[in-house]
Amino acid sequence: MWTTADVFIAVLFIAFIVWYGLRHGTSNDSRSYFLANRSMPWWIVGLSLFAASISTTTLIGQSGDAYTTGIAVYNYNLVGVVVMVFFAIFLFPLYMRSGIFTIPEFLEKRFDKRSRYYFSAICIIGNIFLDAAGALYAGALIIKLIYPPADIQLVIWLFAILVASYTIPGGLSAVIKTEFIQAIILIISPCLLAWFCYRHGGTALQQLFSSGDRLVKLIRPVSDSSTPWPGLILGMPVLGIYYWANNQTMVQRVLSARSVNEGRLGLLLTGFLSIVVMLLITFSGTMARSIFPGLQNPDTIYPTMVMKLLPGSLLFIVLLVLLSALMSALGAILNSTATLFTIDFYSRFNKNADSPKQVLVGKYTSLIVVILAALWAPQIGKFGSLLKYYQEMLSYLSPPVVAIFLLGIFNKRVNGRGAFTGLMAGSIVAVLLLLYKQAVFGNLHFLLVVPFVLLFSMLIVYLSSLTSPAPQKEKLENLHFSFAGFRKEVHEMKKGNWRRHYLFWSALLLLAVASIWILLG
């Protein structure tokens, strides 16, 4: 039970986050408000990206899934790290060289404005009803466990107001600076929790490994309900590309880097941190099966571990970390959604809008987004599992988008007509599958539905492109991957200090992922 002193410290800490965000926020012009003036070094980019990816939603969702199905959920993190390397090598340099503010803006440069508007609208909807609402719901769950009489809707509104108070005035700079603080604490707190979990449930974990139990296996059979092994190859990479390389909330941090190399190194730092921290969170959730058996709602396991396992001297600190992580993650979502609407829609229809007016529209957009997310957040509890809700929704939204990005950077023949047709056709099929999946695929796992939508979308994109002329030269310059450029980078690494080159760290990161799959497969 919290004392008056604990509550006072909690209020003081949250007040500090709000003050710190306001103090370091900049909203002088659109470049500083939406992209922090493209001035961030690699270590801030990496820590900020890590903090956004390991939000309260992730902590609760990943722990809950590990509690239910074991360590298989860690595959999402491992595949995500592979995707980060892919993003660093192939996509990110194109984003930076094209000078974009938003990911949909890249689609207009490579294809046409139809694809930009459609994808931007999809991103905005996803940010509101998946990301922002999920973050608010996760935070409310924590408070509900600490104080059961608390009204979830009231708690959600409280958090929405707190986040809006510094995110809306301060922009991306405020968000990134507060995330830097949260990242440091978010690295420490899972280590503490894993240690106390091991003290109570380490014997049970050792028995699972000794018996070769499926709960501690990453590679699962096709019949597995959590992560069938074909899903690792066919489904997860698609979701990973969408989350890390096409998601404005994540990519916006990397776009704030002061150079291509700084952004790449920031991505790789995030990869290394994710491997370690998410493994600890996953093992904690798995050990909690023996410590707290029979929980009806798996999403409550993380706050349960915090409340029941940590000593009183650490309890309020970790809870404050969770709450402030919610604030920083939600702030990032609000800022990215404001960027999407302002740059992709408002600035396009009001071409005379100057920079201060764009910033003002971005602030109003953030306010509307947080209100809609707060209204929708309580509905997420009806989906059973927070992580399942997010992943399943993403499995229908992402394949058509990933299809046009992959074909756009690797195939010169694909054009605007093909991209838009593929987006529309793939999205229609995705919606139909969402409604009638049982009739078409039966009980097929959602990860195995993803490749069908992806291949269908890619086929439509390519065939539709053949019905109109090939793209002009300006649609390919700095917007299409060059293998000659990649070979040049490899040559430069061999000539220079290879230990400081991003390709060396990329290879090391991939080796670490492969080793974990071999050891825990």
Side-chain angles (χ1 to χ4, degrees):
M1 184 63 117
W2 278 31
T3 65
T4 303
D6 292 330
V7 174
F8 176 75
I9 293 172
V11 172
L12 195 64
F13 188 81
I14 293 174
F16 169 75
I17 292 295
V18 174
W19 169 81
Y20 192 81
L22 289 171
R23 184 173 182 271
H24 289 87
T26 56
S27 58
N28 299 326
D29 54 70
S30 57
R31 183 182 173 93
S32 62
Y33 187 78
F34 296 119
L35 287 180
N37 210 27
R38 295 192 192 268
S39 60
M40 297 298 167
W42 66 271
W43 51 277
I44 287 186
V45 170
L47 289 171
S48 172
L49 189 60
F50 172 74
S53 68
I54 195 175
S55 65
T56 316
T57 306
T58 307
L59 291 173
I60 289 180
Q62 181 117 356
S63 301
D65 209 70
Y67 178 86
T68 306
T69 62
I71 69 169
V73 66
Y74 185 54
N75 282 305
Y76 285 96
N77 307 115
L78 294 176
V79 172
V81 170
V82 175
V83 168
M84 283 183 227
V85 174
F86 174 87
F87 178 33
I89 295 173
F90 298 105
L91 272 168
F92 177 62
L94 302 181
Y95 288 171
M96 286 292 277
R97 289 165 191 156
S98 63
I100 60 172
F101 273 68
T102 71
I103 306 307
E105 188 180 357
F106 179 83
L107 291 184
E108 180 176 13
K109 288 178 178 288
R110 174 62 181 87
F111 298 116
D112 58 31
K113 61 184 180 182
R114 294 175 300 175
S115 298
R116 175 182 184 173
Y117 293 148
Y118 178 78
F119 180 46
S120 188
I122 291 294
C123 289
I124 291 171
I125 293 170
N127 280 0
I128 296 171
F129 297 104
L130 289 180
D131 298 327
L136 286 170
Y137 175 72
L141 277 182
I142 297 172
I143 298 301
K144 186 73 174 174
L145 190 67
I146 298 170
Y147 183 64
D151 179 77
I152 283 190
Q153 184 70 77
L154 183 61
V155 174
I156 285 170
W157 280 110
L158 176 62
F159 283 132
I161 292 168
L162 285 172
V163 173
S165 67
Y166 71 90
T167 299
I168 294 177
L172 186 61
S173 294
V175 173
I176 285 181
K177 292 299 174 61
T178 55
E179 282 177 341
F180 169 70
I181 298 173
Q182 303 310 322
I184 301 299
I185 308 175
L186 283 169
I187 293 169
I188 297 171
S189 59
C191 297
L192 289 173
L193 187 58
W195 167 248
F196 285 103
C197 278
Y198 187 78
R199 287 179 59 184
H200 290 82
T203 302
L205 184 66
Q206 291 171 4
Q207 290 174 352
L208 290 175
F209 275 109
S210 300
S211 62
D213 195 287
R214 190 172 72 169
L215 287 172
V216 289
K217 296 290 184 182
L218 287 174
I219 310 300
R220 303 289 180 89
V222 179
S223 59
D224 187 76
S225 61
S226 56
T227 52
W229 71 262
L232 271 68
I233 304 169
L234 303 174
M236 283 188 194
V238 179
L239 303 187
I241 291 172
Y242 182 85
Y243 180 79
W244 290 106
N246 303 148
N247 181 351
Q248 179 70 23
T249 302
M250 294 299 156
V251 177
Q252 192 162 337
R253 281 150 184 69
V254 198
L255 290 177
S256 71
R258 55 193 179 195
S259 69
V260 172
N261 190 58
E262 296 279 322
R264 281 170 157 171
L265 292 176
L267 273 167
L268 299 178
L269 174 60
T270 302
F272 281 108
L273 292 173
S274 298
I275 283 180
V276 176
V277 175
M278 298 314 296
L279 181 62
L280 293 175
I281 293 171
T282 303
F283 274 132
S284 297
T286 305
M287 286 186 283
R289 290 173 59 91
S290 63
I291 307 171
F292 306 104
L295 286 182
Q296 291 187 349
N297 184 358
D299 284 339
T300 63
I301 189 56
Y302 191 85
T304 299
M305 289 188 292
V306 169
M307 292 289 295
K308 299 293 178 65
L309 297 182
L310 294 182
S313 58
L314 294 174
L315 176 60
F316 79 92
I317 295 175
V318 176
L319 287 171
L320 290 177
V321 169
L322 287 167
L323 298 177
S324 52
L326 158 70
M327 293 170 67
S328 61
L330 182 59
I333 296 164
L334 295 184
N335 187 259
S336 67
T337 310
T339 305
L340 287 167
F341 178 80
T342 306
I343 302 299
D344 290 335
F345 290 101
Y346 176 76
S347 297
R348 301 289 296 176
F349 291 101
N350 185 3
K351 297 185 184 298
N352 296 322
D354 57 11
S355 190
K357 186 135 190 200
Q358 290 177 357
V359 171
L360 183 63
V361 170
K363 291 178 178 180
Y364 282 129
T365 302
S366 293
L367 182 61
I368 294 170
V369 168
V370 77
I371 291 172
L372 291 175
L375 291 172
W376 175 253
Q379 306 302 317
I380 296 176
K382 300 176 182 178
F383 287 83
S385 167
L386 190 61
L387 197 64
K388 181 183 178 184
Y389 163 78
Y390 186 85
Q391 290 166 348
E392 192 148 0
M393 293 301 102
L394 207 59
S395 69
Y396 297 106
L397 287 173
S398 59
V401 175
V402 174
I404 64 170
F405 271 93
L406 290 179
L407 286 175
I409 65 169
F410 290 117
N411 189 294
K412 294 182 179 181
R413 183 60 181 83
V414 172
N415 57 26
R417 176 185 290 182
F420 184 69
T421 305
L423 266 179
M424 295 303 297
S427 298
I428 291 171
V429 168
V431 171
L432 291 175
L433 286 177
L434 184 62
L435 298 174
Y436 304 107
K437 172 181 172 279
Q438 190 71 25
V440 179
F441 291 107
N443 293 320
L444 189 67
H445 196 280
F446 68 85
L447 284 175
L448 302 180
V449 175
V450 170
F452 287 99
V453 183
L454 178 73
L455 290 175
F456 172 80
S457 301
M458 293 180 83
L459 184 63
I460 295 297
V461 170
Y462 188 75
L463 292 179
S464 298
S465 295
L466 297 179
T467 64
S468 57
Q472 297 179 352
K473 186 178 180 181
E474 60 267 21
K475 289 293 184 182
L476 299 173
E477 190 173 355
N478 288 328
L479 302 168
H480 185 269
F481 178 74
S482 168
F483 284 99
F486 179 69
R487 286 193 294 269
K488 182 180 178 182
E489 288 183 342
V490 174
H491 183 66
E492 289 173 351
M493 182 185 71
K494 292 177 180 178
K495 286 197 323 181
N497 188 348
W498 53 271
R499 284 174 294 186
R500 294 186 180 180
H501 201 281
Y502 88 95
L503 285 175
F504 166 73
W505 292 105
S506 297
L508 200 60
L509 200 52
L510 293 177
L511 181 62
V513 170
S515 301
I516 293 171
W517 265 320
I518 292 170
L519 290 172
L520 300 178

